[in-house]
């Protein structure tokens, strides 16, 4: 069964971005599971009646359990230029997360060293001297607190595997629903959403800002945070 095409947030001859649903893999590997990139390729092939294989450049990924803005390149030139922006850290990424407990400070920076345990798939905070450890940093700002939960806006400065999930859990504030990293709450997936992405267009050279609407599953938080000025009134 093919994966339905996610909502398209942006499309031109060089780039295409979608609102990735939680629970879907961003890209395929060796497996046969349907993925977002395959759904996008199918859409492009049918819309433009392209013969043969359709090029789609993978410039970044989102974890399966994470929703939000997912950007692709439609040409090799665009793919190279966008990938370089991600490598240089010039792409502005904004995430929304609902975490357990209340952060000690209303805003701040988290800086840790992370390493993935290949046998378990879990990422751990380790000492900087540990072989294979990679630095991870982010800035956060508390948007609202209610009923033991905090809504955070997060701007990662690095893009490590499971970075936000691990760093917040290490502070004693796991993301709501993230049972892998210590959450005590059941949830459809986890309350982590790639809310917006700002990049420089690979051809025109102008900034492009994209925003992904909140998933339906986030409606459970509306009654808690809807009084905050930044909480979306539409969805």
């Amino acid at each position: 069964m093919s994966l339905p095409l996610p909502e398209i947030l942006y499309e031109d001859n060089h780039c295409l971005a979608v609102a990735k649903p939680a629970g879907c893999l961003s890209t395929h590997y060796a497996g046969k599971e349907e993925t977002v990139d395959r759904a996008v390729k199918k859409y492009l092939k049918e819309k433009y009646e392209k013969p043969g294989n359709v090029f789609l450049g993978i410039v970044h990924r989102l974890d399966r359990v994470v929703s939000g803005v997912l950007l692709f390149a439609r040409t090799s030139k665009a793919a190279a230029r966008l990938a370089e922006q991600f490598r240089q850290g010039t792409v502005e990424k904004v995430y929304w997360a609902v975490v357990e407990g209340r952060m000690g400070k209303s805003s701040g920076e988290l800086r840790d060293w992370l390493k993935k345990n290949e046998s378990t798939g879990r990422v751990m905070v380790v000492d900087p001297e540990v072989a294979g450890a990679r630095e991870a940093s982010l800035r956060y700002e508390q948007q609202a607190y209610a009923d033991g939960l905090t809504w955070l806006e997060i701007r990662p400065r690095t893009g490590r595997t499971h970075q936000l999930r691990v760093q917040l859990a290490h502070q004693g504030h796991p993301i709501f629903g993230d049972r892998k990293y210590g959450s005590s709450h059941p949830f459809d997936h986890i309350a982590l959403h790639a809310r917006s992405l700002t990049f420089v267009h690979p051809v025109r050279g102008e900034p492009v800002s994209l925003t992904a609407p909140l998933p339906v599953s986030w409606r459970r938080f509306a009654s808690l945070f809807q009084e905050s000025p930044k909480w979306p009134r539409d969805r």
Side-chain angles (χ1 to χ4, degrees), residues 92-143:
E92 182 181 356
K93 296 174 283 186
V94 176
Y95 285 78
W96 283 4
V98 177
V99 302
E100 298 179 14
R102 190 167 197 161
M103 303 295 288
K105 297 179 180 179
S106 60
S107 62
E109 180 177 0
L110 301 181
R111 182 171 176 265
D112 298 289
W113 291 81
L114 308 181
K115 184 175 182 180
K116 184 176 182 180
N117 184 320
E118 297 298 338
S119 62
T120 65
R122 285 174 55 88
V123 177
M124 304 169 292
V125 174
V126 298
D127 292 330
E129 297 79 14
V130 172
R134 305 184 72 188
E135 184 180 6
S137 66
L138 61 83
R139 289 200 61 82
Y140 70 87
E141 182 177 337
Q142 179 177 290
Q143 302 298 321

Side-chain angles (χ1 to χ4, degrees), residues 58-60 77-89 91:
I58 311 301
V59 295
H60 76 128
K77 179 187 290 186
R81 292 177 178 177
L82 290 172
E84 182 61 20
Q85 290 183 48
F86 279 97
R87 279 194 295 271
Q88 295 294 329
V91 177

Side-chain angles (χ1 to χ4, degrees), residues 124-178:
M124 304 169 292
V125 174
V126 298
D127 292 330
E129 297 79 14
V130 172
R134 305 184 72 188
E135 184 180 6
S137 66
L138 61 83
R139 289 200 61 82
Y140 70 87
E141 182 177 337
Q142 179 177 290
Q143 302 298 321
Y145 172 81
D147 198 23
L149 299 176
T150 300
W151 166 31
L152 297 177
E153 183 169 277
I154 306 168
R155 298 173 186 268
R157 293 180 171 176
T158 53
R160 311 304 183 202
T161 300
H162 296 183
Q163 174 186 332
L164 278 59
R165 301 165 64 185
V166 175
Q167 288 193 273
L168 291 166
H170 185 65
Q171 294 294 316
H173 303 289
I175 294 173
F176 189 96
D178 194 357

Side-chain angles (χ1 to χ4, degrees), residues 13-29:
N13 291 333
H14 312 283
C15 312
L16 189 147
V18 300
K20 174 192 169 300
C24 303
L25 285 174
S26 297
T27 62
H28 70 278
Y29 294 93

